[in-house]
Amino acid sequence: MAEDSKTLDKNKMMIDESALDIIQKNMKEFLRAGSVDAVYGKPIKQGDTVIIPTAEVLSLMGFGVGSGYGRGPSGDEGNGENESEGGGGGGGGGGRILSRPAAVVIVTSQEVRVEPVMDVTKIGLAALTAGGFVLGMFFRMLSARSALKDM
């Protein structure tokens, strides 16, 4: 019986260690995604001018792990044929890394400038959202005026 307990404890420790390895591997990947190399590109030299591209990096992640172990029925069942052991374990995770160009750093012998990168899609979506909001409020105000006239 003592050997069964040791075997179960050993299996439980193996499950916990493998789940920990998975978590550590995923954490390293996501931390690497937010490193300086991901944010600043390789400098491009053109004559006396050096251009350094920059990016905005957003890293999202989540994970979960579980493990378990069990024992069989109690020894008063008879001849021991109903004895069982346990085990189990599992883990999972996921995430997403988003990046977009943010700016360009331009270095010359006279100055250092930071030029933002225009995201036309983002500007267009903001304009459509604002236009939809204004249009919705306009129709709401018209319906309020007609309700006041009926009073």
Side-chain angles (χ1 to χ4, degrees), residues 69-89:
Y69 64 97
R71 292 225 184 258
S74 63
D76 58 351
E77 293 286 325
N79 57 10
E81 291 179 13
N82 292 330
E83 289 185 24
S84 50
E85 288 190 25

Side-chain angles (χ1 to χ4, degrees), residues 6 8 14 23 27-28 34 47 68 78 85 96 98-99 102 105 109 116 121 130 138 140:
K6 288 180 183 177
L8 286 175
M14 286 174 42
I23 292 171
M27 286 294 288
K28 284 179 185 175
E85 288 190 25
R96 182 157 183 175
L98 305 167
S99 65
V105 179
S109 58
T121 305
F138 178 73
R140 187 172 178 183

Side-chain angles (χ1 to χ4, degrees), residues 65-125:
V65 295
S67 64
Y69 64 97
R71 292 225 184 258
S74 63
D76 58 351
E77 293 286 325
N79 57 10
E81 291 179 13
N82 292 330
E83 289 185 24
S84 50
E85 288 190 25
R96 182 157 183 175
I97 300 170
L98 305 167
S99 65
R100 67 173 195 88
V104 177
V105 179
I106 301 169
V107 181
T108 63
S109 58
Q110 292 85 20
E111 65 180 348
V112 175
R113 291 189 336 255
V114 177
E115 297 288 332
V117 174
M118 294 294 239
D119 190 352
V120 179
T121 305
K122 208 173 204 180
I123 293 170
L125 288 173

Side-chain angles (χ1 to χ4, degrees), residues 31-51:
L31 290 174
R32 188 172 58 89
S35 71
V36 173
D37 294 334
V39 176
Y40 294 100
K42 291 185 178 182
I44 302 165
K45 187 169 179 148
Q46 183 69 36
D48 290 340
T49 305
V50 177
I51 299 171

